[in-house]
């Protein structure tokens, strides 16, 4: 590559590594991995969108950047990847389909263009989502929100939600996002390199893949109509109010895999758009996920209340520049490593900012030492027990146990998880990759050693001061509830 390369970071929301690594599900991703670099042991810092994206952009763990439950905002205390690339002469653009990745959550910092695809006209007022998710008092809610900010902008966004976004219930913004990116690439002029971050949310509940893809990925004994009739109510399932058979869970897994396949088609379309714009050969192209998903795994649904590999082991493929033809990267990698790695790919030093990073570059030219461990953090239950009880009724004891924070430390051989309630779990990943058997009692020395390592790590940096809670107003609560984040 001559000069500074473009950097494209595609985040396929809620995508677990095992399904995304199946070439029958994600053939484009498999092609990129074959031609580029595939990190086979890549892990998220958190099991949900807000803290995971904050880690990608700041190179720091949730304990340091402070964007998590109770303080749902990325503050300005740490430098961000888009701001650093912007200072180095990059045009910076974000295309988001997840309301956590929004200007209201502080993620627009450093971006020249920040597109919230649930809106036609960009605005901090999120009335368009109110039209979709508010029941019963919808007219009153719309009336209240219409006159916040610009009534004209709000009205246009409400019509856009009703007439355009709601027309195709099998698309959560993927096709519109890709079209916007295609048009943006076609309309660019000049030689300025760019950084593009795009979030595709299709694999997130509720699963509504196109019928053609669903029928391709459903089990042979399940029809499309049967699969779409299976309840997709994670909190009712958790509480035991909804019981799903093995066949129904397999049906949901098929729908989920079809959603990943749908995003894979968008990845192919963006690759083609870069080729048509003459930018592909000058682009470092990254595909990853913010976290995974439980589809009945460990008795759980959605992506909360645990730090199993089903939630934190994520796909990570890089193509372009020094990553082309590199093959499999089998060392431990964390999402905090993306920021320094992509700065290296762009040839940007940013020494002061790098001093704040907890990540280390895995760029092939750095020859950095391998990680001994990665950490994942779940700083508070989301939804809270109170929110769950409000929505599903009295909670059984097996649900109340999730009222805790969790931290996990993972080596190549073991995963150790510690809860704020004093719980400790240890899994031997060599003999039990599915993390089904807790061996902490039979391996006390290993559990103690990993606990000590976790404590040393926690003592090695200054933690974020997030005593000031972030207030989420009614309209954002409605948006988030649509995604299953009960408030």
């Amino acid at each position: 590559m001559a000069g500074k390369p473009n950097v494209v970071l595609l985040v396929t929301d809620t995508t677990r590594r095992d399904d995304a690594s199946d070439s029958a599900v994600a053939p484009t991703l498999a092609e990129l991995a074959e031609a580029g670099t595939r990190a086979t042991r890549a892990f998220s810092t958190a099991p949900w969108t807000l803290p995971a994206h904050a880690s990608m952009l700041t190179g720091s763990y949730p304990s340091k950047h402070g964007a998590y439950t109770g303080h749902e905002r990325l503050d300005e205390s740490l430098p961000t990847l888009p701001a650093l690339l912007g200072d180095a002469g990059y045009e910076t653009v974000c295309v988001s389909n997840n309301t956590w990745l929004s200007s209201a959550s502080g993620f627009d910092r450093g971006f020249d263009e920040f597109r919230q695809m649930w809106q036609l006209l960009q605005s901090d007022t999120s009335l368009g989502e109110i039209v979709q998710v508010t029941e019963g008092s919808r007219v009153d809610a719309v009336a209240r929100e219409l006159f916040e900010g610009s009534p004209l902008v709000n009205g246009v966004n409400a019509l856009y939600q009703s007439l355009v976004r709601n027309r195709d219930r099998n698309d959560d913004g993927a096709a519109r996002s890709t079209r916007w990116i295609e048009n943006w690439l076609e309309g660019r002029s000049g030689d300025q390199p760019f950084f593009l971050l795009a979030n595709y949310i299709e694999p997130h509940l509720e699963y509504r893949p196109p019928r053609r893809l669903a029928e391709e990925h459903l089990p042979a004994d399940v029809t499309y109509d049967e699969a779409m009739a299976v309840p997709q109510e994670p909190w009712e399932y958790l509480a035991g109010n909804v019981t799903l058979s093995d066949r129904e869970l397999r049906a949901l897994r098929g729908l989920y895999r079809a959603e990943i396949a749908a995003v894979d088609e968008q990845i192919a379309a963006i690759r083609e758009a870069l080729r048509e714009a003459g930018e592909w050969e000058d682009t470092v192209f990254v595909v990853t996920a913010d976290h995974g998903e439980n589809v009945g795994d460990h008795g759980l649904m959605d992506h909360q209340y645990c730090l199993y590999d089903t939630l934190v082991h994520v796909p990570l493929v890089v193509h372009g520049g020094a990553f082309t033809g590199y093959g499999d990267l089998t060392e431990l990698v964390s999402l905090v490593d993306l920021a320094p790695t992509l700065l290296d790919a762009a040839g940007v030093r940013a020494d002061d900012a790098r001093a704040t990073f907890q990540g280390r570059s895995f760029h092939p030219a750095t020859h950095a030492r391998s990680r001994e461990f990665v950490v994942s953090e779940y700083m508070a239950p989301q939804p809270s027990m109170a929110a769950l009880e409000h929505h599903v009724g009295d909670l059984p004891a097996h649900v109340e146990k999730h009222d805790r924070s969790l931290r996990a430390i993972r080596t190549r051989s073991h995963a150790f998880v510690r809860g704020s309630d004093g719980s400790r779990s240890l899994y031997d990943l060599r003999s039990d990759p599915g993390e089904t058997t807790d061996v902490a009692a039979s391996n006390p020395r290993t559990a103690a050693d990993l606990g000590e390592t976790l404590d040393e790590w926690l003592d090695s940096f200054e933690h974020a001061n997030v005593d000031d809670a972030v207030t989420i107003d009614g309209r954002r609560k409605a948006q988030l509830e649509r995604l299953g984040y009960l408030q």
Side-chain angles (χ1 to χ4, degrees):
M1 294 182 180
K4 293 186 182 301
N6 308 311
V7 177
V8 174
L9 174 56
L10 300 186
V11 180
T12 171
D13 207 294
T14 320
T15 301
R16 48 195 282 170
R17 181 188 176 272
D18 50 5
D19 287 333
S21 298
D22 186 339
S23 61
V25 175
T28 305
L29 194 59
E31 291 172 11
L32 291 167
E34 185 69 23
T37 300
R38 171 174 41 212
T40 61
R41 290 185 173 91
F43 293 87
S44 180
T45 60
W48 62 291
T49 297
L50 178 84
H53 277 82
S55 290
M56 286 187 243
L57 297 185
T58 66
S60 59
Y61 285 91
S63 286
K64 183 172 182 176
H65 63 60
Y68 46 74
T69 303
H71 188 85
E72 291 94 347
R73 180 175 176 82
L74 178 59
D75 292 330
E76 298 183 5
S77 59
L78 295 171
T80 65
L81 178 62
L84 296 169
L85 291 174
D87 290 343
Y90 276 72
E91 179 183 2
T92 56
V93 176
C94 178
V95 177
S96 174
N97 287 284
N98 189 317
T99 191
W100 282 126
L101 188 65
S102 67
S103 58
S105 295
F107 282 95
D108 56 341
R109 182 160 54 97
F111 285 104
D112 300 319
E113 178 89 17
F114 194 89
R115 303 293 302 180
Q116 300 177 145
M117 297 307 292
W118 55 90
Q119 297 176 331
L120 178 63
L121 302 179
Q122 302 301 290
S123 168
D124 287 338
T125 300
S126 304
L127 181 140
E129 292 292 319
I130 291 289
V131 172
Q132 179 168 344
V133 302
T134 305
E135 298 295 337
S137 59
R138 180 165 65 180
V139 173
D140 291 339
V142 170
R144 287 195 303 272
E145 300 299 333
L146 182 63
F147 292 100
E148 286 196 17
S150 168
L152 177 61
V153 169
N154 294 341
V156 168
N157 283 335
L159 287 172
Y160 176 66
Q161 182 73 61
S162 295
L163 301 179
V164 179
R165 279 179 59 90
N166 288 349
R167 183 174 57 195
D168 183 1
R169 300 303 296 142
N170 294 120
D171 188 332
D172 284 317
R176 289 185 300 277
S177 298
T178 298
R179 284 195 300 271
W180 190 92
I181 292 169
E182 290 168 343
N183 292 335
W184 170 72
L185 285 169
E186 185 178 353
R188 293 185 77 249
S189 60
D191 297 325
Q192 184 182 16
F194 60 82
F195 169 61
L196 168 66
L197 167 63
N199 170 285
Y200 286 85
I201 201 172
E202 266 62 21
H204 202 293
L205 276 169
E206 119 190 47
Y207 313 137
R208 299 169 312 194
R211 185 177 188 126
R212 61 180 177 83
L213 291 176
E215 291 178 342
E216 181 179 341
H217 294 284
L218 284 171
D221 62 338
V222 179
T223 69
Y224 173 79
D225 290 335
E226 287 175 325
M228 294 303 294
V230 176
Q232 297 189 36
E233 300 180 22
W235 313 129
E236 298 286 356
Y237 175 79
L238 178 65
N241 298 337
V242 168
T243 302
L244 299 178
S245 67
D246 177 69
R247 182 172 181 269
E248 288 172 319
L249 288 172
R250 289 189 292 108
L252 290 183
R253 186 71 174 271
L255 294 176
Y256 172 69
R257 286 164 65 87
E259 292 281 31
I260 297 174
V263 175
D264 190 74
E265 293 183 345
Q266 303 304 319
I267 296 170
I270 293 177
R271 178 179 60 180
E272 183 59 29
L274 288 164
R275 284 173 172 160
E276 291 184 0
E279 301 284 4
W280 178 248
E281 298 300 327
D282 297 319
T283 296
V284 174
F285 192 80
V286 185
V287 182
T288 191
D290 52 351
H291 56 78
E293 183 83 320
N294 281 314
V295 189
D297 309 83
H298 307 287
L300 296 167
M301 193 77 68
D302 201 70
H303 47 271
Q304 302 292 343
Y305 303 132
C306 75
L307 291 172
Y308 291 111
D309 274 10
T310 49
L311 298 196
V312 297
H313 195 181
V314 293
L316 175 57
V317 171
V318 190
H319 181 278
F323 294 98
T324 301
Y326 187 76
D328 283 353
L329 175 65
T330 60
E331 305 300 330
L332 291 168
V333 173
S334 169
L335 289 186
V336 297
D337 299 331
L338 279 176
T341 301
L342 296 181
L343 288 180
D344 282 342
V348 176
R349 289 184 58 91
D351 292 338
D352 290 343
R354 286 176 187 259
T356 71
F357 291 165
Q358 292 175 292
R360 61 179 64 172
S361 175
F362 57 86
H363 190 279
T366 62
H367 304 293
R369 71 184 190 280
S370 301
R371 280 185 170 277
E372 295 180 3
F373 61 85
V374 293
V375 173
S376 300
E377 299 185 291
Y378 187 56
M379 303 301 290
Q382 167 65 270
S384 68
M385 295 299 106
L388 267 183
E389 190 166 23
H390 174 75
H391 283 267
V392 304
D394 292 340
L395 300 178
H398 78 272
V399 177
E400 293 281 3
K401 74 177 183 181
H402 295 304
D403 191 14
R404 61 186 178 182
S405 63
L406 297 169
R407 285 191 173 96
I409 181 168
R410 194 190 194 284
T411 66
R412 291 174 68 96
S413 61
H414 289 85
F416 175 75
V417 185
R418 187 170 67 193
S420 59
D421 59 351
S423 60
R424 297 159 70 252
S425 301
L426 178 69
Y427 301 97
D428 188 332
L429 302 170
R430 298 163 298 186
S431 59
D432 180 27
E435 299 170 292
T436 60
T437 304
D438 177 10
V439 295
S442 58
N443 291 269
R445 184 68 264 166
T446 300
D449 288 346
L450 288 175
E452 290 174 9
T453 301
L454 181 58
D455 287 334
E456 291 170 0
W457 175 82
L458 286 167
D459 290 339
S460 69
F461 61 93
E462 184 176 350
H463 293 214
N465 180 7
V466 293
D467 291 338
D468 53 324
V470 173
T471 299
I472 300 178
D473 63 23
R475 61 178 178 266
R476 290 208 70 221
K477 285 184 179 181
Q479 288 177 279
L480 296 169
E481 189 164 322
R482 173 177 172 257
L483 296 177
Y485 296 100
L486 305 180
Q487 300 293 316

